[in-house]
Amino acid sequence: QQRSQAVANSGTSGGDGVAMTVRAESGAVVDIAQNPNALFPSLALSETADTVHPVPINALMNYSTGSMTVTFSEILDITPSSNIRLDGLHLSNITGDHLISLVGSTVTAIDGTQAVIVISEAKRALAIAHSATPGGNGHAMVLDIARDAVMDIAQNRNEYLFNLTLQEIADT
């Protein structure tokens, strides 16, 4: 969270446009001869933009609730929740068949490494029928994530189409 807050307060992409500074109080550091520094009220930081794209790591679908949690390598910018492009997310029997579009699902608007998406009851029932859980076809569904469907706190979007095999929790 400290890193995402630093990005938000920086002059780089995803930040407020103003480079951060550091205030060094008199005596905060000493040199090799033990002489204290003078007061530096505003030292400009040299900032390097975050250019690392978010990569999905895993996806967990709870068929009892219709809630899917997708974990990413970077902190996602999910405020507002419309930053997740649901038209770029699909549940598939096999990669690319896009059996179930996630358009119309609900995204929890909290920045973090996990995106929580709740699908509708009709989509949940269809997903169960195509899952590896009881009532399904015996094969786990995959999550297809299109290019640019999500972005991290530095406004980097995902680069590639990913197919994540869902970890599935049966409907109980």
Side-chain angles (χ1 to χ4, degrees):
Q1 291 296 14
Q2 288 177 334
R3 183 176 159 279
S4 65
Q5 188 60 46
V7 169
N9 292 326
S10 74
T12 63
S13 177
D16 60 11
V18 179
M20 291 190 352
T21 60
V22 171
R23 177 183 173 94
E25 296 290 334
S26 179
V29 294
V30 293
D31 65 15
I32 196 151
Q34 300 302 303
N35 297 311
N37 67 288
L39 170 67
F40 291 103
S42 183
L43 296 171
L45 291 178
S46 176
E47 299 176 334
T48 302
D50 174 355
T51 58
V52 177
H53 298 272
V55 176
I57 298 170
N58 64 44
L60 174 69
M61 173 62 84
N62 183 331
Y63 288 119
S64 289
T65 62
S67 179
M68 180 175 60
T69 302
V70 186
T71 303
F72 287 84
S73 62
E74 297 278 312
I75 294 173
L76 298 184
D77 183 356
I78 312 177
T79 50
S81 61
S82 60
N83 284 346
I84 302 281
R85 284 191 35 241
L86 292 172
D87 63 334
L89 302 176
H90 296 87
L91 296 176
S92 299
N93 243 344
I94 57 170
T95 299
D97 75 8
H98 295 176
L99 179 68
I100 303 170
S101 168
L102 296 190
V103 169
S105 299
T106 302
V107 177
T108 302
I110 298 175
D111 295 345
T113 57
Q114 293 186 323
V116 178
I117 302 165
V118 180
I119 64 176
S120 71
E121 178 61 21
K123 291 178 182 184
R124 183 185 76 86
L126 181 59
I128 290 170
H130 292 276
S131 73
T133 65
N137 64 8
H139 301 283
M141 296 202 75
V142 296
L143 174 65
D144 289 334
I145 304 175
R147 179 184 297 254
D148 298 334
V150 301
M151 72 177 160
D152 68 15
I153 204 76
Q155 310 304 290
N156 299 308
R157 293 219 171 249
N158 62 298
E159 287 189 313
Y160 304 108
L161 174 68
F162 292 95
N163 59 323
L164 288 177
T165 300
L166 292 182
Q167 295 175 341
E168 299 175 320
I169 299 173
D171 183 18
T172 55

